[in-house]
Amino acid sequence: MTWKVFTLGFLWCITSLFWIVFCSIQDKEWWIGQGEIKNICDLMKYIENDDSRDVRVFFSLPVFFPAIYAILIKRTRYWFVYLITLLISGYWLWQFFIRYQLCLW
């Protein structure tokens, strides 16, 4: 692994995490921790359903374009690229889907 792969992977990871957070944040998520709202599940109960995550999830998909390019087109075989792709995919799933599914329990 070269220093270029490491640097570009690190920058891609940081940029992707910021973009995912920007796209997945709720309108009134800053209410968490104030009053009776302790977590995201309480927030979903107390506010009206003006959730725009279904549109924003498509705006966050370009985060995976560098991985598609590196793995499928360039055929790079660096473990670091696979690791970062796995971390970004896991965080993307958590922010958009998994944390809301835990509210059903």
Side-chain angles (χ1 to χ4, degrees):
M1 180 172 64
T2 64
W3 65 273
K4 291 180 186 178
V5 172
F6 180 78
T7 305
L8 287 174
F10 183 73
L11 289 174
W12 171 50
C13 183
I14 297 298
T15 306
S16 298
L17 294 180
F18 281 124
W19 185 248
I20 290 170
V21 167
F22 177 74
C23 288
S24 68
I25 197 162
Q26 290 287 335
D27 185 31
K28 296 182 176 55
E29 199 164 331
W30 54 273
W31 284 2
I32 296 175
Q34 298 178 0
E36 296 178 9
I37 301 175
K38 303 287 186 232
N39 55 25
I40 195 74
C41 298
D42 293 339
L43 182 69
M44 296 301 286
K45 285 187 231 175
Y46 286 111
I47 64 172
E48 61 185 61
N49 194 4
D50 59 349
D51 192 11
S52 61
R53 282 179 298 125
D54 53 348
V55 174
R56 292 181 188 170
V57 73
F58 291 110
F59 289 130
S60 69
L61 286 178
V63 163
F64 297 106
F65 289 168
I68 292 169
Y69 176 74
I71 294 171
L72 298 179
I73 297 172
K74 293 293 277 186
R75 305 264 185 209
T76 58
R77 300 290 180 233
Y78 295 115
W79 62 270
F80 189 68
V81 175
Y82 293 121
L83 177 68
I84 288 185
T85 304
L86 182 68
L87 291 174
I88 291 173
S89 301
Y91 189 69
W92 182 80
L93 284 171
W94 171 258
Q95 283 293 102
F96 282 104
F97 302 107
I98 297 173
R99 70 179 179 157
Y100 298 104
Q101 296 303 317
L102 296 176
C103 294
L104 298 176
W105 296 342

